[in-house]
Amino acid sequence: MDINLKKVHGNWAAGYALDKHTVSSTFDGYDDNGHPKFTTIRTAVGEATYQLKYRQDWTKTAPLAQEIHDKIIPLLGVKIGFVVPMPASNERERQPVTEVANEVAKLLDVPCFDGMLTKTKGQSLKNLHTKEEKIQALEGTFSLNELITNNGKWNVLVVDDLFDSGATMEAACSKLRSYNKVNNVYVATLTWK
Ligand SMILES: O=P(O)(O)OC[C@H]1O[C@H](OP(=O)(O)OP(=O)(O)O)[C@H](O)[C@@H]1O
């Protein structure tokens, strides 16, 4: 896959997005039902992420996880001890981010703790525009479940599909940073907006 990594900054030790999600989106008028039509051009990663998330094309899971493993992990320069998927805002029968995170953990041969972070469902950020609005909407929605019973501290990798304002990632990382089993927090997302 063609990859154009972007470093993302926030309250984590280091993080990267594989590529931009959408290159361009052009308004093409309205369809017969009066709905607006767009021609959207995505990067290879953006297209695979779109197919996975909105077309339930689960064959995209493994190649996307492989790209995180091959392109992002070496840049972090540390041993990742476990992986945590970003909890979704929307209910889905299968969560694409969880599946990618599980696959990355398998490639790293470390555990994936789905459920270490949980988020109140139904608060999608899709229609919010500023980071401030998103921070406000996310207030109190994340919970940390202290699932680790062994003694020690590990570096954690948080996996998400999209990095936009960073409000979601910062809320998630702030919870993880408060956990005494966490050494440093690292971040990998498939795309950025
Ligand atoms: O960087 P930000 O501005 O915080 O935006 C990124 C977040 O927005 C989307 O989630 P959303 O809450 O819309 O729904 P989803 O988790 O169900 O995809 C996306 O999956 C990221 O988690």
Side-chain angles (χ1 to χ4, degrees):
M1 228 180 276
D2 183 38
I3 303 288
N4 296 283
L5 289 175
K6 177 184 159 108
K7 189 158 193 181
V8 293
H9 301 274
N11 59 353
W12 44 86
Y16 294 86
L18 286 175
D19 212 338
K20 191 164 165 49
H21 191 280
T22 301
V23 177
S24 67
S25 188
T26 321
F27 176 62
D28 279 345
Y30 295 91
D31 67 14
D32 295 344
N33 300 315
H35 298 128
K37 291 190 297 181
F38 295 91
T39 300
T40 303
I41 299 172
R42 302 183 185 90
T43 61
V45 176
E47 186 59 33
T49 303
Y50 176 83
Q51 293 298 331
L52 173 64
K53 189 169 182 178
Y54 297 105
R55 297 287 180 264
Q56 292 74 47
D57 179 357
W58 303 103
T59 67
K60 300 292 190 278
T61 309
L64 287 168
Q66 192 74 50
E67 295 294 357
I68 288 181
H69 176 266
D70 295 355
K71 309 279 165 45
I72 297 182
I73 300 296
L75 296 177
L76 304 178
V78 295
K79 163 99 182 90
I80 295 296
F82 63 94
V83 178
V84 171
M86 180 65 75
S89 303
N90 297 287
E91 294 279 6
R92 294 177 186 91
E93 208 174 297
R94 286 169 74 175
Q95 291 289 357
V97 168
T98 306
E99 306 224 355
V100 172
N102 266 316
E103 203 63 35
V104 172
K106 254 192 237 165
L107 292 167
L108 289 170
D109 198 22
V110 300
C112 179
F113 288 107
D114 182 22
M116 179 171 282
L117 282 179
T118 53
K119 185 161 176 269
T120 318
K121 292 278 187 283
Q123 260 288 15
S124 184
L125 301 184
K126 266 220 162 104
N127 301 317
L128 302 180
H129 299 293
T130 67
K131 186 169 182 181
E132 288 61 39
E133 282 177 323
K134 292 186 180 189
I135 291 171
Q136 230 172 39
L138 288 166
E139 182 83 40
T141 60
F142 276 95
S143 309
L144 173 73
N145 304 299
E146 303 196 350
L147 300 175
I148 300 177
T149 48
N150 318 14
N151 288 326
K153 264 177 178 287
W154 294 267
N155 291 319
V156 53
L157 179 74
V158 185
V159 173
D160 202 357
D161 61 334
L162 176 72
F163 186 92
D164 181 12
S165 69
T168 304
M169 197 54 95
E170 281 174 22
C173 293
S174 139
K175 282 285 175 199
L176 288 168
R177 282 163 57 113
S178 72
Y179 190 11
N180 62 9
K181 305 284 179 180
V182 167
N183 185 27
N184 283 315
V185 181
Y186 295 85
V187 162
T189 71
L190 298 174
T191 62
W192 61 277
K193 197 167 172 185

